[in-house]
Amino acid sequence: MEKTSPFLCGVVEGFYGRPWSMDQRKVLFHWMQQWGLNTYLYGPKDDLKHRLLWREVYSPEEEAQLRTLIAEAHSRGLRFVYALSPGQDIVFSSSCDLTLLKRKLRQVSDLGCQAFAILFDDIDHSLCQADSEAFSSFAHAQVTVTNEIYRFLGEPPVFLFCPTEYCGSLCSPSVSKSPYLQTVGEDLLPNITVIWTGSKVISRKLSVDCLAELESVLQRPPLIWDNLHANDYDSRRLFLGPFKGREPQLRSHLRGLLLNPNCEFEANYIPLHTLGSWYRSGEEERKDEDCEYCPDRSLSAALHDWMEELNQPLQAGRQSTRADQRSSALSSHCKTPERSDGPSSFRGTSAVAKLPVFPLNSSSPPSSPTNVKGEREGRDGEMKRSILPSQPLGSRLVGPSGGNRGQKAHDQGLCGGKGLLSESQVRLLVGLHYLPHEHGPSAQKLLQDLTWLKSNCQAISANSKKAPQKVDEWRGRASGFLSLCDEIAQLHYSVVGGANRAVLYDLYPYVWDLRNMALVAKAFVYWLDGRVLSDSSTLGSWRNCFHWCGKTTGADLLGVESEPWVFKGGVSGEVQMLLPVGSNSELFSHPPPLFPTSRLYNIRPYHGKDKACTLSLTHDISTAVAINLMHTSLKTGKTDSQRQRWSSFTKSFRILLCSTNSTFGLLV
């Protein structure tokens, strides 16, 4: 902060969803100090007093928490920026609303905050009748109020303004010809910085040319609110990849860059670690022209440091144990550890009391002794069952030198592990949850292999005349695909069994979804082996069911011009599109349990011995539907015997997946 106008680089807590806890923010400040970042912007959309109830001042208890947070940021050498979003219902011409806005920001200023932001993003462009009479345009109303607030606060050195047209795709008709942006550029006071997200809400890349065009319109360099790692638009996606697509040379065209990351706090270690590397490379470039930022190299460094963090015994929400609290208290008067001490040297601080409005506490339920016992039983008992399907076709997909002996050794490895995450597992996790516009290596391989196996399954059809080499190639690639699915299942098991419960609760829904996807894809490949008849067969082709598969991949849907939310589900969604499941996008959607478990269900192909069970299940389904329809219109409801039968049926019901002429698999 020695310079008058330093480049602002850091984190914006600006996502939709549950805000981070006070403990997590303090850990964030430690990370930021360690990695050379300098700015934190507080603006979680679901903090009621930030957006919905912006007129209300903070209570004394909330004031104390906010004062502590501001002081903590300053003690770490960070600039704390407080943001307010009054745009949903503010009347710009109302002196009452303007007074309430000043009162709210004055309260925060009195707590020690010296930097502010007024946000008008994601709101309706229309003006009420009173505002239409008082202002010439929507932009004019926003700029007038912002200028007055800026002067009221004494023209602080850092004051940010987020326009309603905050990216190229929202500008009408274009960035250079937008009347809204032209008004902002001409009328907004010159020392107020304008926030921008790039050509899109979530920009794949930021180019110097686009920023130069914007700078010309705004008559000032913008600050980038970077949504590269934001995941609040898709509950099945997480982004663990490196900071990428932003060259350090952009800094000469920017006032700063703040990353709006994943909602799940623990998922942001790699994104923020690599952001720090990006920022430092820009600083070093001025001294050394050969210094360049490399995303892959920065990812490796971040992974190395994260490994220590992942195996630390931290509780959910970063709540410290008593020993950690004593250690934190003893070290709070000491000098901050250097980078070589590693991120694992910080354990958080004592838990802060929960408040209903500020902040919305994001701590997940901690593991109780009962839950721990249940998880231990799950690991010791349930994992004794093989996660691989037990079917006669399996022997075809095992390599010639592996055999059953290799399979048993593999199963023992799955059951006998201690749950510690290895670096290869973390790389697998990152590769499957990489970036919104780009899959990591493991995800690319998974999708490519499944696509190839499905496209070439005629090679191993029941009456195929293909050369043996083609059959061997198919089964060899199938064996590799199944091994990758096993690694994903083992990744789930290791995350559940790991010591770091903070990471577990944040990542569990995503590893659970990946595990389910891998089991279904695995069953599909087993089903393909030897069961695909040729098109000329009198019995018809099993490949006929493939018309149920999706015709477009996620990459095709996204393209260069689309936002990532156009296609839902990430890797799991793309795998699902390759399966014959028709238009039912929720067929394999299985929400995670309330408490993490290592319990695995076995999805396997259908066998002749399952016929009796299937007939019985089909009969139960028909009977249950008949009972339900028979009594739908009755006011008195079902009889006791019918209710008992219905209850018995629903408890024993399992998902039956069917294709055109055969059963695809059973979940047992």
Side-chain angles (χ1 to χ4, degrees):
M1 295 186 185
E2 311 84 45
K3 302 177 183 178
T4 55
S5 298
F7 185 87
L8 307 179
C9 190
V11 178
V12 47
E13 185 182 345
F15 48 81
Y16 290 88
R18 182 169 52 187
W20 293 331
S21 69
M22 295 291 284
D23 276 351
Q24 288 171 330
R25 290 173 184 138
K26 291 178 180 178
V27 175
L28 171 68
F29 294 165
H30 171 78
W31 286 351
M32 292 175 65
Q33 180 189 31
Q34 197 170 37
W35 300 330
L37 303 173
N38 59 33
T39 303
Y40 165 79
L41 188 150
Y42 176 86
K45 296 293 191 292
D46 287 353
D47 173 5
L48 296 181
K49 291 188 178 180
H50 160 76
R51 187 174 176 87
L52 184 63
L53 305 178
W54 63 268
R55 295 176 177 86
E56 296 187 14
V57 295
Y58 293 114
S59 68
E61 294 80 9
E62 295 163 348
E63 275 190 342
Q65 287 200 18
L66 189 53
R67 181 185 289 108
T68 300
L69 196 65
I70 294 171
E72 177 74 16
H74 291 167
S75 71
R76 297 281 184 181
L78 307 177
R79 177 175 283 99
F80 185 100
V81 183
Y82 177 81
L84 204 61
S85 295
Q88 282 186 313
D89 60 357
I90 187 174
V91 179
F92 295 98
S93 58
S94 169
S95 59
C96 179
D97 270 4
L98 194 58
T99 299
L100 293 176
L101 184 58
K102 291 177 179 178
R103 181 184 68 165
K104 181 67 167 287
L105 294 175
R106 172 59 70 188
Q107 180 190 29
V108 178
S109 177
D110 291 341
L111 298 178
C113 184
Q114 302 170 356
F116 300 89
I118 299 293
L119 312 181
F120 293 109
D121 55 319
D122 302 339
I123 61 173
D124 187 10
H125 282 70
S126 61
L127 290 173
C128 66
Q129 183 175 353
D131 287 342
S132 298
E133 295 173 356
F135 302 104
S136 60
S137 67
F138 190 54
H140 181 217
Q142 292 181 353
V143 167
T144 301
V145 169
T146 301
N147 287 342
E148 183 166 347
I149 293 298
Y150 175 65
R151 294 191 185 100
F152 169 77
L153 292 172
E155 301 188 2
V158 174
F159 193 90
L160 311 179
F161 167 81
C162 183
T164 306
E165 294 184 3
Y166 56 81
C167 67
S169 61
L170 294 179
C171 293
S172 179
S174 65
V175 173
S176 60
K177 298 180 181 179
S178 166
Y180 177 94
L181 288 185
Q182 289 172 358
T183 299
V184 170
E186 293 169 1
D187 296 345
L188 193 68
L189 292 175
N191 290 330
I192 298 177
T193 299
V194 178
I195 291 173
W196 189 252
T197 65
S199 59
K200 303 289 181 182
V201 177
I202 303 167
S203 299
R204 184 187 187 104
K205 292 184 178 180
L206 296 177
S207 69
V208 172
D209 292 341
C210 290
L211 290 177
E213 178 188 28
L214 176 69
E215 186 176 357
S216 175
V217 176
L218 295 178
Q219 303 179 31
R220 72 201 76 201
L223 177 138
I224 295 296
W225 174 308
D226 201 334
N227 289 315
L228 180 64
H229 290 86
N231 70 332
D232 52 3
Y233 54 87
D234 190 344
S235 61
R236 297 179 68 186
R237 303 193 73 180
L238 193 72
F239 304 113
L240 304 175
F243 189 70
K244 193 173 184 181
R246 289 93 172 103
E247 298 299 328
Q249 292 81 0
L250 293 173
R251 290 179 50 160
S252 60
H253 298 270
L254 297 175
R255 175 71 171 90
L257 185 148
L258 303 178
L259 184 64
N260 183 32
N262 297 279
C263 300
E264 294 78 12
F265 176 76
E266 298 295 338
N268 294 314
Y269 192 96
I270 290 175
L272 299 183
H273 192 293
T274 54
L275 173 64
S277 298
W278 176 86
Y279 177 56
R280 292 193 304 274
S281 70
E283 289 286 309
E284 294 164 359
E285 257 188 0
R286 301 174 184 179
K287 304 175 183 177
D288 184 359
E289 294 297 330
D290 296 330
C291 179
E292 292 184 1
Y293 173 73
C294 175
D296 292 336
R297 189 167 58 241
S298 297
L299 173 60
S300 295
L303 277 170
H304 180 270
D305 289 348
W306 200 28
M307 288 305 300
E308 296 184 47
E309 189 86 4
L310 288 173
N311 293 316
Q312 295 299 325
L314 301 177
Q315 295 302 310
R318 286 280 177 165
Q319 296 170 348
S320 310
T321 62
R322 291 182 179 179
D324 292 334
Q325 291 174 14
R326 287 196 298 269
S327 174
S328 177
L330 290 173
S331 62
S332 62
H333 302 291
C334 302
K335 184 179 179 181
T336 303
E338 298 296 330
R339 176 179 169 82
S340 60
D341 291 338
S344 60
S345 60
F346 185 75
R347 296 288 178 272
T349 55
S350 58
V352 180
K354 298 178 182 178
L355 294 175
V357 176
F358 174 78
L360 295 178
N361 197 294
S362 63
S363 298
S364 302
S367 302
S368 64
T370 302
N371 296 332
V372 173
K373 179 181 178 182
E375 290 170 6
R376 191 174 295 126
E377 289 174 353
R379 291 194 296 270
D380 296 340
E382 293 156 9
M383 285 302 294
K384 290 179 182 178
R385 312 174 198 171
S386 171
I387 67 168
L388 291 174
S390 54
Q391 74 297 318
L393 294 174
S395 59
R396 301 178 183 177
L397 297 178
V398 176
S401 62
N404 294 330
R405 182 177 58 184
Q407 183 60 60
K408 288 181 180 179
H410 180 71
D411 290 344
Q412 290 173 359
L414 291 177
C415 300
K418 296 182 179 179
L420 292 178
L421 282 162
S422 66
E423 186 168 340
S424 62
Q425 286 182 315
V426 180
R427 283 190 176 275
L428 173 64
L429 178 66
V430 173
L432 293 169
H433 292 294
Y434 201 65
L435 290 172
H437 301 92
E438 178 183 357
H439 290 313
S442 49
Q444 292 178 27
K445 178 172 174 54
L446 186 80
L447 294 170
Q448 289 169 0
D449 284 354
L450 182 57
T451 302
W452 188 91
L453 291 171
K454 192 182 76 169
S455 301
N456 295 275
C457 60
Q458 68 274 9
I460 41 84
S461 64
N463 50 3
S464 172
K465 298 180 180 179
K466 295 285 184 179
Q469 301 93 303
K470 191 69 174 178
V471 175
D472 291 341
E473 180 185 6
W474 193 95
R475 292 209 167 112
R477 293 188 68 160
S479 180
F481 178 83
L482 297 178
S483 295
L484 181 55
C485 291
D486 290 341
E487 291 174 15
I488 294 173
Q490 172 63 12
L491 171 65
H492 166 267
Y493 175 60
S494 296
V495 171
V496 172
N500 193 322
R501 314 311 285 174
V503 171
L504 166 64
Y505 276 101
D506 275 0
L507 301 190
Y508 186 71
Y510 302 95
V511 295
W512 169 273
D513 190 42
L514 279 175
R515 191 281 313 264
N516 289 347
M517 172 273 296
L519 290 180
V520 173
K522 187 175 173 182
F524 176 62
V525 171
Y526 276 120
W527 174 77
L528 287 177
D529 187 19
R531 293 170 179 264
V532 182
L533 304 180
S534 67
D535 294 332
S536 60
S537 171
T538 57
L539 298 177
S541 172
W542 291 101
R543 298 190 71 200
N544 291 341
C545 69
F546 288 173
H547 74 276
W548 286 358
C549 299
K551 304 300 182 184
T552 309
T553 66
D556 293 334
L557 285 173
L558 287 177
V560 178
E561 300 300 324
S562 300
E563 296 282 8
W565 58 72
V566 171
F567 175 76
K568 297 286 187 179
V571 175
S572 296
E574 290 201 45
V575 169
Q576 188 167 309
M577 290 183 70
L578 294 171
L579 304 177
V581 297
S583 59
N584 189 350
S585 60
E586 300 300 321
L587 183 60
F588 297 130
S589 178
H590 186 194
L594 180 61
F595 296 105
T597 175
S598 59
R599 185 171 187 175
L600 290 175
Y601 292 95
N602 180 33
I603 300 177
R604 61 169 174 77
Y606 176 80
H607 305 309
K609 63 183 180 181
D610 297 317
K611 184 175 182 180
C613 174
T614 305
L615 291 175
S616 174
L617 179 61
T618 305
H619 176 265
D620 282 347
I621 293 174
S622 302
T623 303
V625 171
I627 292 174
N628 191 42
L629 291 175
M630 185 186 305
H631 294 277
T632 298
S633 60
L634 296 180
K635 301 289 185 180
T636 56
K638 303 177 181 65
T639 65
D640 291 341
S641 61
Q642 289 167 338
R643 265 196 299 270
Q644 185 175 3
R645 186 175 182 183
W646 177 263
S647 176
S648 175
F649 162 74
T650 54
K651 287 181 180 178
S652 62
F653 180 73
R654 292 294 183 267
I655 299 173
L656 181 64
L657 309 176
C658 297
S659 64
T660 308
N661 295 316
S662 68
T663 301
F664 169 51
L666 289 171
L667 179 61
V668 296

